[in-house]
Amino acid sequence: MHIFVYPPLGTLTSVHKPQVRFRVYFAYSLAERVCAEDGKVEIWTNIYNDEWQGIPLEHVVSDGAHPELAFIDLKQLEPASSMLQFSLDIDVAALPAHLRRFEFTVRWRSSNLVDWKWVGGFEHNASVTVYRPLPRTRAPVSFWQQQLKAMLQPTTEPESTSSGYIADSWHASSSGASCLIRPHSSDNDILCQMAAVERYLAFVRKDHFWIIPQYGSSSIETGKFEVVILLVELSSGVYAALMPFSLGSTLSHGAVLTVQPSNYVCLQPASRIRTEPVRVAVGFNLDPHTAVQDAMHRVQQSIPPMRGQIISLPEPAPAHACSLDRNRGYCTWNGFYQNITHDSLISTLSTIRDAAHQHDHLPFAWVLIDDGWQMVDKYDGYGRLYDIYANSEKFPGQLKQTADALTKLGIQRVGVWHTLWGYWGGIDPAGPLAERYKLVKCYRTWSPVVKGESDVWLISPEFVHEFYDSFYFWLSEQGVSFVKVDYQAAFESLDSYDDRSSEASRKPIIEMYDAYYNAMEHAALKYFGSGCIVYCMAQSPHLITRAMRLQQQCTTEDGSAERMVLRNSDDYFPDVIASHGWHLNCNMANTVWSRCLSKYFTGDWDMYQPHRAESHVHAVARIVSGGLVYMTGQAADFTADSMCDLGINEHMVPHAQSLLDSDCLFADMTKVPAILGSTIVVPGNDSVVIALFNVSSDLAVTPISLCSMYSTAIERQSGIQAALFTLATAGIAHPSSGEYFAIHQKSTNRLHIVPSSLTWVLPQ
């Protein structure tokens, strides 16, 4: 017998709704039927006046009007399995006024048992924090100032009159407020001590290149990780988001928080980027997403332009007819890695085209030739770029021959990969590039890409514009119209130019960082047009604040200009099965902040590989990402059956990022047996997509109200249609009045028509 409990045991759940909902599900075999159907179920809890007691749950009987939907193939558990549901709803208003948090576990017994059986082990109770509804009317600034005072405690001694920080520039809105805070003294290493924290979501730097979510409760434990954005749920029920930034004179406005034991918060510039002074933007709101949005908006308003100038970018070339985010693509990486050649690529794509029996063209419109095409001394993290041209042994006709052959296969757009330095190890000092451009010698510290230290030669900042102009002009002549630029945050692994002991020598690294970005972006717009850059390994505070400056310069509000592309997470690893849940969870979480850059960037959740057990999951995830949808793999991966699965994204690309359900914000959903959910309003289509995934390693159960998720989505944009995508499901509904949802269950090929008011469960 399998027993599922919601809220999950062993976790902390926050309830901001009028009712606390308890659900227990029994999946039982025929032999266990009598035991299960004649059973009694109770929660054992201290919810009333701290006195532990049993409260019975009611057996819910499904009927035709309110069918019990369980998206699980019960045969996965045991043959002839069935499911029972027990339910209990407790009104928050009926609970003791002083109640803030309670615990519970579950016990059950059948009529032929004297003793109770317990679900879960010792000290494996569920904890639930209850919030009373806060007024939705506009609160005075003094209310939000009180929230800040309760959250950030001064670090000085009680008898001292000085504070650890100063808050000013308050802006209030209908549902929240924002402000800027700065250290009371520039000598303060510790800004404050955080208090009144119930749960937190910290976006931390995994290394120089990626941002990942970390979760926890009142004690913020981020270790040595640098925090880029910190979102907290306060004991008052208010959400607060903190984002540090620098007011330096260059474009390098990145800054980070570090959290020491006892929640002491330190404020500093981002690694190796020496700019000052440093500030923190704080957003308060009753909605967690809006709190992050408000904090990032304050940063965007506050960071100064470069020495009083806007970033100088040229008038872009005409936009390409095949936009990356509205057409499916193919990437060579997982299919070939660095062994890509002209012959292997054309042969593979020809075979894929022939496999599409009902089509006379490839199932994608653009191709990205990833690492492996360039002239380098070796294809690894130490490899250096010899010249800008293609490896003639792999591409005997250079890229022009390959682009022409791809065009004949129906490919509309071709892109290539390179790093911001040219290649992983920079420039070959003995090659022709060293003769054409001045090089500077830099020292690279340890990084995950190169697990060691090394010297690298880079083109000097005063010549990098000339290099990129020549490089991208040649690529455009070869038929290339977009680039994936990798390893962008690697500048933060550079310790100095030549003198590793000189602090002053680190300043040019900042100037080089921005010089490379300016040169690359200028040449890309000049020769390829808008929407032509995929930014990869670039999730640094430096790029985030740079994007904010570029967003300020954007003049189009209607989305007519194609946006650049930003990788939203670390790589997709098809052969690491345990990584798939985390990959989806990380991407969903990162949209909390990356969606605030959507005026300049569209998202990229990386490629996925068809003809695998999890392929349709990744296909659905890429759709609801609102960004790029592209595949990888060998010809054998693109069978007729696997290409049928690709049809689910044939006509449904939302072009807007999903909004992660608030119930999923403060927990690592890969470790919780519950459903990861999000919604997305499709612009111009009056429809709402609801995405549900189980990213844990266990069967997951969560009572889901489609109507509630739908209503939350249309608060931001009106709509009358609904679409649903799940881990094992891809379906779309077009109800005339929004009263019903149609759900297609892929595993059983069943179509369920359910009322929108139905609360249902999705165990996977």
Side-chain angles (χ1 to χ4, degrees), residues 181-194:
I181 63 176
R182 55 188 170 91
H184 184 270
S185 168
S186 60
D187 297 330
N188 282 7
D189 292 329
I190 298 178
L191 176 69
C192 60
Q193 183 180 24
M194 294 201 69

Side-chain angles (χ1 to χ4, degrees), residues 23-84:
R23 299 291 185 271
V24 178
Y25 304 91
F26 286 77
Y28 60 93
S29 66
L30 182 61
E32 298 165 323
R33 178 176 179 178
V34 175
C35 180
E37 293 186 351
D38 193 32
K40 295 182 179 179
V41 181
E42 292 184 347
I43 61 167
W44 182 254
T45 179
N46 62 348
I47 191 171
Y48 293 113
N49 299 318
D50 292 329
E51 295 182 2
W52 287 85
Q53 58 182 297
I55 304 177
L57 279 72
E58 180 183 356
H59 177 207
V60 179
V61 180
S62 298
D63 54 40
H66 297 85
E68 176 64 28
L69 290 183
F71 282 92
I72 182 174
D73 185 356
L74 293 174
K75 295 179 181 178
Q76 297 175 12
L77 302 177
E78 290 183 29
S81 293
S82 300
M83 180 171 284
L84 290 177

Side-chain angles (χ1 to χ4, degrees), residues 517-536:
Y517 266 132
N518 289 338
M520 182 267 293
E521 292 166 343
H522 190 283
L525 286 172
K526 179 180 178 181
Y527 293 111
F528 307 140
S530 60
C532 62
I533 306 172
V534 179
Y535 291 70
C536 192

Side-chain angles (χ1 to χ4, degrees), residues 486-497:
D486 216 336
Y487 204 43
Q488 293 191 17
F491 279 100
E492 298 187 33
S493 68
L494 300 182
D495 189 67
S496 66
Y497 275 79

Side-chain angles (χ1 to χ4, degrees), residues 16 46 159 165 181 230 320 383 386 389 425 468 484 538 565 576:
H16 292 261
N46 62 348
E159 60 270 16
Y165 64 90
I181 63 176
L230 179 62
H320 200 284
Y386 183 78
Y389 310 116
Y468 265 107
K484 173 184 174 181
V565 179
V576 184

Side-chain angles (χ1 to χ4, degrees), residues 466-520:
E466 182 182 342
F467 164 75
Y468 265 107
D469 191 83
S470 175
F471 184 20
Y472 283 4
F473 170 75
W474 178 79
L475 287 177
S476 67
E477 291 290 298
Q478 294 289 304
V480 172
S481 59
F482 74 96
V483 287
K484 173 184 174 181
V485 184
D486 216 336
Y487 204 43
Q488 293 191 17
F491 279 100
E492 298 187 33
S493 68
L494 300 182
D495 189 67
S496 66
Y497 275 79
D498 292 305
D499 184 1
R500 294 167 55 188
S501 63
S502 173
E503 189 74 20
S505 68
R506 293 175 177 172
K507 184 176 180 181
I509 297 295
I510 303 174
E511 297 175 357
M512 182 182 290
Y513 207 164
D514 288 316
Y516 268 69
Y517 266 132
N518 289 338
M520 182 267 293

